[in-house]
C-alpha cells in the first residue's frame, strides 16, 4: 500500500536512536558548564499555611553558597494557561497550598553544600485548615484555597445539547452509575531538571519540555525580560506524557538563581520531588447516566464529573473538558449534558495526561456493555451503531473528516473472535472493548499552527528548522522522514534543528497531539516549496518539463527516462550562482473554529482532524485472590497513514502498558496531603513480566489534510485501553467496576458483590 | 571528610581516582568520569536506569558505593562499542524500534548484556524475567524483548 | 541523590569486621549487597558513621552440604542459591522464595544474610527525611505513636523477606559471631517483635552462616503482589513438608513471620482450620498498597494454596 512513496510508510530506524543506544544522547541532568552551581529547593511541609516570613540570611553565609531566592526575589507574576486561570506564582509569598510546594531555593558549589544551606533557611508558617477531598472542598465553610474561586470550584464546564431530560424519559433503558479512579503518576523516567545560564542579559534554559515557545513566553512574563532574551534550547526529553507542557516552578527557580549568582545553575529533582511537586494526574469521580433505545441507540447522556485539581489551575479548563470531547468525537449523542467541575484541594497540581479521564471513559464503555447485555445486544454492534462516520458532526459541532472507527472496531473484534468470546464468558475469563477518538490539535490561538524552514546546503544536504518537539515518541525522526520523502534525499542527509526558541518558529509542540498533523505538515509544505525550486532548475538543465522531474537518491531525474538525471547538489550550486539559494518556508494552520472557548463557548470545530481507535482486552480472574491476568491485548488505531509503522506500533504498545495494564496497577495513594507512593517501588509501573501478548493493528484512513494522509500516532489507545480492561471485567462478572486501578483487593470486592458477600 | 582512593578498570581503561567514601558509583561515573549514559531515575534501586555491569554482574550503580568498586572491572553503555562497531544489542535496539525517550535504554541494554554473558541462548521467558528488573515508561517492553532476542541470535 | 557522610571500611574477615565495629561505639552498620541498606541510608532511616563492608569476606561465600546440614555463607547471593541444583531439587519452598524475591538484577547482588536481616517496612515509614518530618515521626523513627493506626503505641511495619519464611519452615538455624563470641540460634528466635530492634542480634554481631537440615522436602512459596517482579510481598506463605507433616510460615504481615504446624497435610479440614487460624492471627493494617481486610483474607487463601501445592494437589 505504500509503494507510491520512497520512505513514508517504511519501518525506518529512528534518527535519534543511535545517540540513545550509545549513551551519547544528552539529557538536562547530563549537562555541564564551567562554574555551574547545583540548586536545591526548600519545600512546604504543610498542606496549607500562611507564610509569615522567609529568612535566607543564614543559608547565604554557608561557604560555597552563591545565591538564595524565595518568592520575595521574584516579581510575583501569576501564571495561568488562560487569562482567567492566572493563580500560580511558582514561588508564593502569601501562602503554601500543598506539601512539597516550592518555597525557597539555593545555588551552591555542590549538592551537599546546597542541602546544608537549605536546612538553614528559616520559614515561619501559620498552618491553616486544609482540605483533601473535592466533595468536602466544594462545601460551604470548607477552607478557601484561593480567594478568587468560590467553594474552591476552579472550573465548571457546562455543555447542554438537545433535550436531555425529555430524551431520558423516552429511552427504553436508563442507567446511572458512578465510577472513581485514583490519579496516576506520570512517572516519566527522567526526573524533572533545568539548567539555566544568564549571560549578557540573555537567559538560556534547558529542560525536558513539550512546548518551548509557550514556556519562553511564560518565563519572559514572570521574569519581566523581553521574550527574545529568554531562550529555551533543545535537549532530549526522557518522557512527558502530558506532564511537561507547562512552565514549571523549577524553571523560575533556576532562572532566578542564575540571574542572581551570575553562574550557570542546574536543578535536578529527585524522584520524590518529581512525583509530589511537578505535576500529578487528576483523581476523578464520574457519574454517567445513559438513555438507550431498545435497539441500542444512545438517546441521551447526562454527566457529572468531578476532578480533583490539586492546588492550582494548571490546564484547568482543558483537563475538565477533554475526557468528554474524546468521547463525543467517537459516538453520536443527540442529547447530551456535561457538567464537569475541577475543584481545588491541598494536594499537588494536576495536569493533562496522555491517559487522562479513565474513570469517565472506562465507566461509559463498561456501562454501555452492561446495557447492551440487558437488551440482548452485542457490544460490537452497539459501538458500530453509535459510532460516528465520516462527514458527521459531533454534538458540539466538530466535523469529522477521515474516520476509521468502524474499521478499527471490526478488525479488532475479528482478530480476537470478540463476539463469540463475549457471548460466552466464563466466571474466570472476560473480554472487553473500548473505543475513543482523539483530536489532532486543539484551539491554542495563533500557536495552533506551525511554520518550518528548510535550506539546502551546497553539498545537497539539508538543514530543517522547526519548533516541533520530541518527548520520546519519535517526532524528530518523523519530520526527517517526511522531508526525506519530499526532497528525495536520505534521512541521514538531513540535519534537524528543532525546539529552540531562538531559531525555530512557533509550533504547538508535543502537545494536543498536533505533531504529525500540524508540525509535520508544515515541514512537508516547506520541503515542497524547496522542491519546486529544485525541480524548476533541474527541468531547465535536463531539458524536460517540471512535471516530469522526480527527486530520488540525492538526484533529480526524468520520470520517463530515469537515466537522465543530475545530482541535487548541482542544482543547489546552480541556485547559488543565480544568487537565489534554495531556502523555503512552509506553514500549516489547521481548520479550527477560533471562536471556540472551553468555558464560555464550548462548540465549533475543535481540531483539523480526529484519530480513532479500538482496544480489546482479554483477562482471566483468579476467583480467590481477585488478581487479574491479561494474556492478550489487541489494539487497532486509525492514524490516517503511518509515517513510520514501527514508531506507531511503539506508541500503541506503550499505551497498552500505560493505560491498559496500568488499569490493574497504577494509582497515587494518599494520607491526607501526603503522597504515600512518590517513588517507583510502591507506584506500580507495569514491568515486562506484567505485559500481555500484544497485537497492534494500524488502520489507514488517509486523512485528506494530514501530511501524506497522517494523523496522530497512537493516543487513542492511551484513552481506550483501560476501558477495554474495565469492560472485560464486566463481561466476566456481570458487574461494573467502582474504582480504578483494579488491584486484586478491588476486584475481589466486585466478585464478592456479585456473590452477595457483605 | 577524607577522600578515598579507588582504582578500577572501566570500559577497558584503568582508572584511579579520589572519591568520597559515601559517594555512589553512579555519581562517580557521571560526575567524575563524565560517563552520563547511566541515568538516575529513582536513586533507590527500583528502576534499573543506572545499571552498569560490574565483574560480569548487572548492578544498580545508585546502590553501589564507589569504594565498593575498588579493583572491579566495569562496563558502561559507553564501553559497548568496539572499534567503532555497535554491539549487537545496540544494533538490535535501534532496528527493532526498542528506543523511545531513551532514558531507560542504557540500563536496559546493560541488563541484557549481562544476561547474554551468563546465558548465551536465553529463552523468551528468561529474557522477560531478566528484563523485568528494569522499568520503561514508553515502550510496553515488546520491542525491547524482541531486540534482546534478536541480539542473542547474533552473538 | 547524595548520601549522608559516613566512612567506608572493608573487612578482610569476620574477626576484622568485629574489630572495626568495636571501634565505632554502635554507630557502625554492616554492608553486604546493599540493596536494602543503601536505600535506608539515602532516606536517612539509617544514619551510620561507618559502613563496614562484609562482601570481601571469602569464607562467607561458600555453600557446603555435609553432616546432614546445608550450610550457606551469609554472603552468598540469592541468585547463586537459586541456581544451586540441590536447593531447587530438595528445598522447593526456599527455591521458590528466591525466585520470587525482588528482580533478577537485585538477586544477583543481594545476599541471603542481607535478605534475612532486612528492616521491616511500612508505607508511612519508608519515606524521605523531609516526608517523615512533615508527617511527624512514627514509632519506628523514635516518634510517640504509630502513623498508621492512630494512637497506637505498637508498630505494625511488615517484615518483607521472602526467604526467611521459607527458611523457617525448613527449621533453619543462624550462626552468629560477635564481640562476645559465636553462637547458633534457631531462625524462629531471630524475631523480637520490637520495631526499633526487630532482630535478637547483639550489637556488632554478624550473621555468618545459615544452616538448613539437608533433608529432601516438598514445599511451595505463595506470594501476593501487584507486579510479578520487583515487589515486596503483601502476603507471603511458605510451606515445607516431610512425610505427611507440614510447616507453614506466613510473612509480609506484621513485624515477624508466623509459624504453624500441620500434623497431617492430607486432611482437608485441618488445612482449612490452620488457614483460618493464620488469617485470624494476621493483623494487617493500612500500610501497604492493598486494603488490610483483603490481606487478612489472603493469608488464609495463600495458606491453603501453598499447602495444596506443597503436597502436590494444587496447580
Amino acid at each position: 500500500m505504500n509503494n507510491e512513496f520512497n520512505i513514508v510508510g517504511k519501518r525506518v530506524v529512528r534518527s535519534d536512536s543511535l545517540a540513545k543506544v550509545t549513551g551519547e544522547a544528552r539529557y538536562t541532568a547530563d549537562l555541564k558548564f564551567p562554574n555551574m552551581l547545583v540548586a536545591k529547593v526548600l519545600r512546604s511541609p504543610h498542606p496549607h499555611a500562611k507564610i509569615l516570613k522567609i529568612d535566607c540570611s543564614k543559608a547565604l553565609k554557608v561557604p560555597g553558597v552563591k545565591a538564595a531566592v524565595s518568592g520575595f526575589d521574584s516579581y510575583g507574576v501569576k501564571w495561568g494557561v488562560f487569562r482567567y486561570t492566572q493563580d500560580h506564582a511558582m514561588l508564593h509569598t502569601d501562602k503554601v497550598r500543598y506539601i512539597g510546594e516550592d518555597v525557597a531555593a539555593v545555588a551552591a558549589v555542590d549538592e551537599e553544600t546546597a542541602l546544608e544551606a537549605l536546612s538553614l533557611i528559616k520559614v515561619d508558617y501559620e498552618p491553616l485548615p486544609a482540605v483533601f477531598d473535592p466533595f468536602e472542598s466544594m462545601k460551604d465553610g470548607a477552607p478557601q484555597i484561593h480567594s478568587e474561586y468560590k467553594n474552591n470550584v476552579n472550573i465548571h464546564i457546562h455543555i447542554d445539547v438537545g433535550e436531555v431530560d425529555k430524551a431520558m424519559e423516552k429511552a427504553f433503558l436508563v442507567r446511572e452509575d458512578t465510577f472513581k479512579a485514583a490519579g496516576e503518576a506520570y512517572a516519566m523516567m527522567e526526573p524533572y531538571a533545568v539548567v539555566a545560564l544568564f549571560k549578557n542579559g540573555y537567559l538560556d534554559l534547558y529542560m525536558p519540555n513539550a512546548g518551548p515557545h509557550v514556556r519562553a513566553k511564560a518565563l519572559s512574563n514572570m521574569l519581566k525580560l523581553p521574550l527574545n532574551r529568554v531562550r529555551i534550547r533543545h535537549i532530549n526529553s526522557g518522557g512527558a506524557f502530558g506532564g511537561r507542557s507547562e512552565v514549571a516552578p523549577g524553571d523560575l527557580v533556576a532562572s532566578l538563581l542564575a540571574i542572581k549568582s551570575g553562574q550557570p545553575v542546574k536543578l535536578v529533582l529527585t524522584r520524590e520531588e518529581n512525583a509530589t511537586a511537578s505535576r500529578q494526574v487528576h483523581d476523578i469521580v464520574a457519574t454517567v447516566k445513559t438513555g438507550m433505545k431498545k435497539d441500542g441507540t444512545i438517546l441521551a447522556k447526562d454527566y457529572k464529573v468531578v476532578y480533583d485539581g490539586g492546588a492550582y489551575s494548571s490546564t484547568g479548563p482543558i483537563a475538565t473538558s477533554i475526557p468528554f470531547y474524546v468521547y463525543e468525537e467517537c459516538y453520536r449523542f443527540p442529547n447530551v449534558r456535561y457538567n464537569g467541575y475541577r475543584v481545588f484541594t491541598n494536594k499537588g497540581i494536576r495536569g493533562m495526561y496522555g491517559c487522562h479521564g479513565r474513570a469517565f471513559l472506562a465507566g461509559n464503555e463498561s456501562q454501555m456493555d452492561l446495557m447492551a447485555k440487558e437488551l440482548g445486544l452485542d457490544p460490537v454492534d452497539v459501538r458500530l451503531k453509535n459510532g460516528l462516520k465520516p462527514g458527521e458532526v459531533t454534538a458540539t459541532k466538530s466535523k469529522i473528516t477521515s474516520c476509521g472507527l468502524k474499521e478499527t472496531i471490526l478488525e479488532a473484534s475479528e482478530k480476537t473472535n470478540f463476539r463469540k468470546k463475549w457471548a460466552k464468558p466464563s466466571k474466570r475469563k472476560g473480554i472487553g472493548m473500548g473505543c475513543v477518538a482523539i483530536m489532532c490539535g486543539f484551539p491554542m490561538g495563533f500557536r495552533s499552527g506551525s511554520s518550518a524552514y528548510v535550506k539546502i546546503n551546497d553539498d545537497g544536504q539539508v538543514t530543517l528548522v522547526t519548533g516541533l518537539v520530541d518527548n520520546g515518541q519519535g517526532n524528530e525522526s518523523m519530520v526527517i522522514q517526511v522531508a526525506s520523502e519530499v526532497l528525495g534525499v536520505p534521512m541521514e542527509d538531513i540535519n534537524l534543528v528543532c525546539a529552540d526558541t531562538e531559531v525555530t518558529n512557533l509550533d504547538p509542540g508535543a502537545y494536543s497531539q498536533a505533531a504529525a498533523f500540524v508540525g509535520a505538515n508544515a515541514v512537508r509544505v516547506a520541503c515542497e516549496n524547496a522542491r519546486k525550486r529544485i525541480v524548476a532548475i533541474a527541468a531547465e538543465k535536463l531539458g524536460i518539463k517540471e512535471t516530469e522531474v522526480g527527486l530520488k537518491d540525492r538526484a533529480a531525474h526524468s520520470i520517463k527516462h530515469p537515466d537522465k538525471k543530475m545530482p541535487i547538489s548541482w542544482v543547489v550550486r546552480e541556485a547559488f550562482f543565480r544568487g537565489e539559494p534554495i531556502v523555503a518556508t512552509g506553514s500549516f494552520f489547521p481548520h479550527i473554529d477560533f471562536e471556540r472557548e472551553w468555558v464560555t463557548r464550548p462548540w465549533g470545530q475543535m481540531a483539523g482532524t480526529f484519530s480513532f481507535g479500538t482496544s480489546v482486552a482479554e483477562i482471566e480472574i483468579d476467583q480467590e485472590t481477585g488478581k487479574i491476568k491479561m494474556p492478550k491485548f489487541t489494539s487497532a488505531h486509525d492514524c490516517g497513514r503511518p509515517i513510520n509503522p514501527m514508531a506507531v506500533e511503539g506508541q500503541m504498545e506503550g499505551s497498552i502498558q500505560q493505560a491498559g495494564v496500568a488499569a490493574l496497577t497504577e494509582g497515587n495513594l494518599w494520607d491526607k496531603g501526603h503522597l504515600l507512593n512518590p517513588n517507583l517501588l510502591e507506584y506500580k509501573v507495569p514491568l515486562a513480566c506484567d505485559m500481555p501478548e500484544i497485537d497492534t493493528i494500524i488502520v489507514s484512513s488517509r486523512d485528506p489534510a494530514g501530511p501524506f494522509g497522517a494523523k496522530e500516532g497512537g493516543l487513542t489507545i492511551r484513552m481506550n485501553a483501560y476501558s477495554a480492561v474495565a469492560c472485560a471485567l464486566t463481561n466476566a462478572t456481570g458487574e461494573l467496576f467502582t474504582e480504578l486501578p483494579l488491584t486484586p483487593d478491588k476486584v475481589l470486592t466486585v466478585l464478592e458483590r456479585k456473590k452477595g458477600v457483605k | 571528610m577524607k577522600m578515598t582512593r579507588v582504582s578500577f578498570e572501566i570500559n577497558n581503561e584503568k582508572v584511579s581516582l579520589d572519591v568520597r567514601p559515601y559517594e555512589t558509583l553512579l555519581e562517580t561515573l557521571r560526575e567524575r568520569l563524565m560517563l552520563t549514559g547511566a541515568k538516575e531515575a529513582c536513586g533507590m534501586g527500583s528502576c534499573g536506569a543506572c545499571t552498569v555491569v560490574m565483574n560480569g554482574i548487572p548492578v544498580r550503580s545508585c546502590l553501589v558505593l564507589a569504594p565498593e568498586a575498588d579493583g572491579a572491572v566495569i562496563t558502561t553503555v559507553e564501553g559497548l562499542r568496539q572499534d567503532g562497531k555497535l554491539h549487537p544489542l545496540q544494533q538490535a535496539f535501534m532496528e527493532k524500534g526498542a528506543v523511545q525517550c531513551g532514558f531507560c535504554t542504557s540500563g536496559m541494554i546493560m541488563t541484557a548484556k549481562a544476561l547474554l554473558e551468563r546465558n548465551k541462548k536465553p529463552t523468551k521467558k528468561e529474557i522477560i524475567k531478566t528484563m523485568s528488573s528494569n522499568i520503561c515508561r514508553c515502550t510496553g517492553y515488546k520491542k525491547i524483548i524482541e531486540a534482546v532476542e534478536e541480539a542473542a541470535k547474533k552473538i | 541523590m547524595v548520601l549522608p557522610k559516613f566512612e567506608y571500611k572493608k573487612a578482610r574477615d569476620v574477626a576484622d569486621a568485629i574489630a572495626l565495629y568495636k571501634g565505632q561505639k554502635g554507630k557502625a552498620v554492616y554492608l553486604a549487597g546493599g540493596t536494602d541498606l543503601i536505600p535506608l541510608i539515602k532516606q536517612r532511616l539509617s544514619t551510620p558513621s561507618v559502613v563496614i563492608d562484609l562482601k570481601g569476606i571469602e569464607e562467607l561465600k561458600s555453600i557446603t552440604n555435609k553432616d546432614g546440614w546445608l550450610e550457606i555463607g551469609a554472603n552468598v547471593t540469592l541468585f547463586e542459591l537459586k541456581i544451586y541444583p540441590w536447593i531447587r531439587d530438595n528445598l522447593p519452598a526456599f527455591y521458590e522464595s528466591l525466585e520470587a524475591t525482588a528482580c533478577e538484577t537485585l538477586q544477583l547482588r543481594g545476599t541471603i544474610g542481607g535478605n534475612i536481616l532486612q528492616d521491616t517496612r511500612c508505607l508511612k515509614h519508608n519515606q524521605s527525611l523531609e516526608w517523615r518530618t512533615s508527617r511527624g515521626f512514627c514509632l519506628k523513627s523514635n516518634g510517640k505513636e504509630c502513623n498508621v493506626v492512630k494512637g497506637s503505641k505498637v508498630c505494625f511495619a511488615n517484615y518483607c523477606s521472602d526467604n526467611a519464611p521459607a527458611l523457617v519452615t525448613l527449621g533453619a538455624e543462624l550462626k552468629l559471631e560477635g564481640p562476645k563470641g559465636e553462637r547458633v540460634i534457631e531462625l524462629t528466635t531471630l524475631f523480637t517483635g520490637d520495631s526499633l530492634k526487630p532482630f535478637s542480634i547483639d550489637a556488632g554481631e554478624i550473621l555468618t552462616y545459615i544452616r538448613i537440615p539437608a533433608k529432601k522436602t516438598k514445599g511451595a512459596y505463595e506470594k501476593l503482589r501487584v507486579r510479578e517482579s520487583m515487589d515486596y510481598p503483601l502476603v507471603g506463605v511458605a510451606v515445607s513438608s516431610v512425610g505427611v507433616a507440614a510447616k507453614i510460615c506466613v510473612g509480609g504481615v506484621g513485624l515477624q513471620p508466623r509459624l504453624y504446624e500441620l500434623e497431617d497435610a492430607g486432611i482437608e479440614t485441618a488445612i482449612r482450620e490452620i488457614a483460618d487460624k493464620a488469617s485470624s492471627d494476621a493483623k494487617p493494617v493500612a500500610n501497604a498498597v492493598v486494603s488490610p481486610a483483603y490481606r487478612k483474607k489472603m493469608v488464609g487463601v495463600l495458606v491453603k494454596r501453598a499447602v495444596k501445592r506443597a503436597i502436590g494437589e494444587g496447580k
Side-chain angles (χ1 to χ4, degrees), chain A residues 272 622 625 627 671 674, chain C residues 128 134-135 225 228 294 305:
Chain A
E272 178 183 343
D622 185 318
T625 63
K627 185 141 178 173
D671 174 19
H674 287 93
Chain C
S128 67
S134 156
R135 179 65 180 77
R225 51 182 160 178
E228 289 305 304
Y294 172 75
R305 272 194 187 181

Side-chain angles (χ1 to χ4, degrees), chain C residues 7 9 19-29 49-50 52:
Chain C
E7 278 186 70
K9 306 272 186 200
L20 286 169
Y21 187 94
K22 277 190 194 161
Q24 296 304 324
K25 302 195 171 63
K27 287 294 280 174
V29 293
S49 57
V50 177
I52 301 166

Side-chain angles (χ1 to χ4, degrees), chain B residues 78-89:
Chain B
E78 290 91 342
L80 283 186
R81 202 160 19 180
Q82 298 291 332
D83 307 322
K85 208 170 160 264
L86 291 177
H87 187 277
L89 275 164

